[in-house]
Amino acid sequence: MEKQPLFVAFSTQKGGVGKTAFTVLLSSYLHYFNGKNIAIVDCDFPQHSIMEMRKRDQELVMNDIYYKRMAHAQFKEMGKKVYPVVGSNPEEAIDDALRLIEESKEPIDIVFFDLPGTMNNQGVIRTIKAMDYIFSPISADRLVLSSTLSFASALNENLISIGKSSIKGMYLFWTMVDGREKTPLYVAYNDAIGELGLSLLETTIPDTKRFRREMDETHRAIFRSTIFPPDKFLLKGSNVEELVSEICRIIEIE
């Protein structure tokens, strides 16, 4: 029997903590560096941030000789085309993903979903219930933390713990970690997360501006792109490689 693709989402109720950035970073790393066949369903309607990023990336490759040569060299070296990014909405995301899997010439390993930051409609709940794994970035901001813990606790209590979903695991992870923040603060937060029965990744992501580095006319090293993997030099100290390794162990992808 052919192995079914995994459905994975980076999901949180609070914006600005990297939900979309991590979806792109993990997708590009796994697809271009690890050789996995990845697809993204962008159902964060109506902004469709990843669809808009793909559009910008494609326009630069088409119109900028530097990126055109870079894309040609990458394809020659890796032999991998860009992964598909499909725009959808919460109500139709699963159907669109299944259609994408059916029509793909290559067997897809993982479909990443960029979900809206709300659970206030049945379409979002239906899509979340179909996920295999959910990863939620959190930061040491009281509003972000309160919102995300409320969201994660509701999922855990109403869907995961009582077996009303396909979710095999939900994990929080610290991002935007400022090295100047006191360790006891995180210890206290971690204890609170544990008391709620929620799981936390070991990997933490530092607060660094490199996460905003996209393709542009300056031709600087790229960190976040749907067409190219993150620059290897910029990866150093970002903990993205550690995050990829830990998530791969959890979802059992080699």
Side-chain angles (χ1 to χ4, degrees), residues 130-188:
M131 294 301 103
D132 291 297
Y133 295 94
I134 294 174
F135 297 93
S136 293
I138 52 175
S139 69
D141 175 286
R142 289 186 184 277
L143 284 175
V144 170
L145 198 55
S146 174
S147 174
T148 306
L149 292 184
S150 174
F151 163 78
S153 295
L155 278 185
N156 196 38
E157 291 170 14
N158 300 318
L159 295 178
I160 301 171
S161 63
I162 56 176
K164 285 193 172 182
S165 73
S166 300
I167 302 169
K168 302 176 182 71
M170 176 176 61
Y171 299 83
L172 310 181
F173 65 98
W174 290 110
T175 185
M176 302 172 72
V177 175
D178 188 335
R180 296 167 295 182
E181 287 176 320
K182 295 179 181 178
T183 302
L185 176 71
Y186 284 100
V187 172

Side-chain angles (χ1 to χ4, degrees), residues 24 31 43 60 67 71-72 99 105 127 152 196 212 217 227 230 232 252:
V24 172
H31 188 80
C43 46
L60 278 166
Y67 289 122
H72 177 75
R99 191 178 306 111
K105 293 180 181 178
T127 300
L196 290 170
R212 305 174 196 167
E217 292 80 1
I227 290 178
K232 289 184 177 180
E252 298 181 347

Side-chain angles (χ1 to χ4, degrees), residues 11-76:
S11 183
T12 177
Q13 281 198 131
K14 205 69 179 172
V17 288
K19 172 177 66 75
T20 297
F22 286 112
T23 303
V24 172
L25 280 166
L26 268 287
S27 296
S28 295
Y29 192 104
L30 289 169
H31 188 80
Y32 301 119
F33 282 154
N34 286 19
K36 302 302 177 188
N37 292 321
I38 304 297
I40 293 179
V41 175
D42 183 356
C43 46
D44 193 2
F45 180 84
Q47 54 263 42
H48 283 155
S49 301
I50 299 180
M51 287 286 292
E52 288 299 313
M53 187 186 300
R54 169 55 64 84
K55 184 180 176 183
R56 292 194 301 273
D57 289 351
Q58 286 179 325
E59 286 175 353
L60 278 166
V61 168
M62 291 294 293
N63 300 318
D64 188 307
I65 191 65
Y66 175 86
Y67 289 122
K68 190 174 288 188
R69 287 172 177 165
M70 193 170 157
H72 177 75
Q74 174 174 286
F75 179 75
K76 189 175 180 181

Side-chain angles (χ1 to χ4, degrees), residues 22 174 202-206 208 210-211 223 234-245:
F22 286 112
W174 290 110
E202 293 178 8
T203 306
T204 61
I205 305 296
T208 166
R210 76 188 76 181
F211 283 91
F223 199 64
L234 291 178
L235 278 170
K236 295 176 182 177
S238 71
N239 288 358
V240 167
E241 291 175 296
E242 291 81 354
L243 182 67
V244 170
S245 295

